[in-house]
Amino acid sequence: MTYVKACALSELEENTPKRVELDGTPVSIVSTEGEVFAINDICSHANVSLSEGEVEDCMIECWLHGSSFDLRTGKPSGLPATRPVPVYPVKIEGGDVLVSLTQES
Ligand code: FES
């Protein structure tokens, strides 16, 4: 599995998503509840940036219509979104946040 650097761990603020582009893919990096998650930044309902939404209870909320996505699985908690958003494996190494785009879950 290939990991690429998304950002430095020190750039993340708890519960404040950070949008990055990795190989042309927009990804939202989220530090919450002692873990770091990577989720595709585009809502599965429409072309809206999830990183502009709120994070709570390990979910990221789409600000446009209010569907929330589980940061661990990408699954929506309710309508209007019905499809999951891709999430990506993350590892922390030497103060860097590394993300693998090759394996979605
Ligand atoms: S665009 Fe995200 S829920 Fe509609």
Side-chain angles (χ1 to χ4, degrees), residues 59-73:
M59 310 283 290
I60 189 164
E61 185 183 50
C62 176
W63 58 267
L64 190 56
H65 305 118
S67 284
S68 287
F69 298 88
D70 192 314
L71 290 165
R72 293 157 293 210
T73 64

Side-chain angles (χ1 to χ4, degrees), residues 20-32:
V20 296
E21 292 245 345
L22 303 176
D23 290 342
T25 303
V27 178
S28 183
I29 311 292
V30 184
S31 168
T32 189

